[in-house]
Amino acid sequence: MAARTPRPLGTITRGTTNPNRLRRVDNWIVDTCGDALRAAPDPLVVDLGYGASPVTAVELRARLAAGVRTDVRVVGLEIDPIRVADAQPAADPPGLTFARGGFELAGLRPALVRAFNVLRQYDESEVAAAWATVTSRLAPGGLFVEGTCDELGRLAGWILLDATGPRTLTLAARLSTLQTPAELAERLPKALIHRNVPGEPIHDLIRALDDAWHAAAGYAPYGPRQRWLHTVAAVRAQGWPILHRPRRWRQGELTLPWPSPTPNPHPTPFDQRAEARGGRRSAGWAGGWVRGCRL
């Protein structure tokens, strides 16, 4: 008797998308998660909630095949069966296929999941459960990239998770159109967007970036990239634990170890696991949990 397909978990999103909308996060995945995919026995990647058009799944497959390994397999999952049917002409099996599924990942055990602009349409109280559902279904050593961007991919924020919970937070912008880092607040991941208020670490971070950006105005004649590099360097000098080297910063990015959004008197399962594994407090994140990252 054939195994029953798991019932999709989640709700149908608005589905809006555009070509190259996810280029920034895709390039970051190639650079930051590429080693994990190269080491995976099965290089299966899920594009969760790709939307009304399969274009971002097609692009993800192309970028991973070119930058990581040619045998990568991308499966685009959507809850809406009409979107799945509409995507079939873009399929190129075995490298790219489309199926119906939600947070349960349709029974798959991928090495990596990308979900963008999915949780933005959920309530903040639903985020932890969605994270836990996805990460519990990853292959051993698997990774989950969850975030949000604007309609053209000019502003974005994403979180990297593994089976133990969040690892890092990345903010990214198209520097040629960035007026001020305060704009990044508009596209924070769902777990943080409502935390951008005084007294919260993410608010402190964005204010530090904004202050440093204005202080670096003298570098504006040399272009927005030079201004951004000096901005990130100044914020790092203040004690913020910014990861990577200027090679990544030059892309309009900065990545930090993940904090919990606020010191929580009722820890989530992720907070409890971090504490049990020896999680420590970081003054730079004003009390947020920080895990060691090899990034």
Side-chain angles (χ1 to χ4, degrees):
M1 185 176 179
R4 295 182 61 185
T5 302
R7 181 178 179 181
L9 298 178
T11 59
I12 297 173
T13 63
R14 289 191 295 271
T16 55
T17 190
N18 280 300
N20 275 324
R21 186 181 188 187
L22 303 186
R23 179 176 62 85
R24 297 181 192 287
V25 66
D26 287 355
N27 291 339
W28 185 88
I29 287 172
V30 168
D31 190 76
T32 304
C33 306
D35 286 346
L37 280 174
R38 292 183 191 99
D42 180 11
L44 174 62
V45 175
V46 165
D47 184 12
L48 180 59
Y50 56 84
S53 164
V55 62
T56 55
V58 173
E59 293 170 345
L60 177 61
R61 157 65 184 163
R63 288 166 183 147
L64 292 177
V68 180
R69 53 191 290 181
T70 57
D71 61 339
V72 68
R73 295 186 298 120
V74 172
V75 178
L77 293 182
E78 260 292 343
I79 290 178
D80 185 353
I82 296 176
R83 292 178 185 173
V84 176
D86 289 346
Q88 295 309 316
D92 184 20
L96 177 63
T97 57
F98 298 91
R100 190 171 182 231
F103 294 127
E104 83 301 330
L105 305 183
L108 301 173
R109 300 283 287 180
L112 186 141
V113 175
R114 183 193 69 183
F116 246 66
N117 304 303
V118 174
L119 289 179
R120 183 176 179 83
Q121 298 170 61
Y122 285 72
D123 190 88
E124 182 184 0
S125 63
E126 300 173 282
V127 170
W131 283 357
T133 299
V134 173
T135 56
S136 69
R137 287 157 172 78
L138 295 172
L143 299 171
F144 177 29
V145 180
E146 185 273 308
T148 302
C149 68
D150 69 356
E151 289 74 9
L152 298 179
R154 294 170 298 187
L155 300 168
W158 59 84
I159 298 162
L160 175 68
L161 305 97
D162 62 16
T164 64
R167 290 177 55 178
T168 63
L169 167 69
T170 299
L171 303 178
R174 181 189 296 171
L175 296 179
S176 62
T177 59
L178 184 68
Q179 298 299 311
T180 167
E183 296 175 22
L184 290 163
E186 303 168 11
R187 299 296 166 170
L188 288 171
K190 189 65 177 188
L192 292 175
I193 195 165
H194 300 299
R195 304 284 184 173
N196 185 32
V197 294
E200 294 281 1
I202 189 62
H203 181 271
D204 295 342
L205 171 62
I206 290 178
R207 179 165 184 175
L209 286 168
D210 215 43
D211 289 346
W213 175 263
H214 290 295
Y219 294 96
Y222 302 100
R225 180 170 290 172
Q226 286 300 316
R227 187 175 183 181
W228 176 258
L229 286 170
H230 282 84
T231 296
V232 176
V235 171
R236 191 181 195 188
Q238 295 171 19
W240 291 91
I242 297 172
L243 302 172
H244 302 148
R245 300 288 182 181
R247 180 176 66 86
R248 291 303 323 168
W249 307 351
R250 289 174 62 84
Q251 308 306 313
E253 299 170 3
L254 76 158
T255 297
L256 303 94
W258 170 260
S260 61
T262 183
N264 189 349
H266 304 293
T268 69
F270 292 129
D271 294 325
Q272 292 166 343
R273 287 180 215 164
E275 187 172 10
R277 295 172 63 251
R280 62 185 177 86
R281 300 277 181 173
S282 166
W285 270 114
W289 284 108
V290 176
R291 296 182 56 244
C293 297
R294 296 191 303 166
L295 296 178

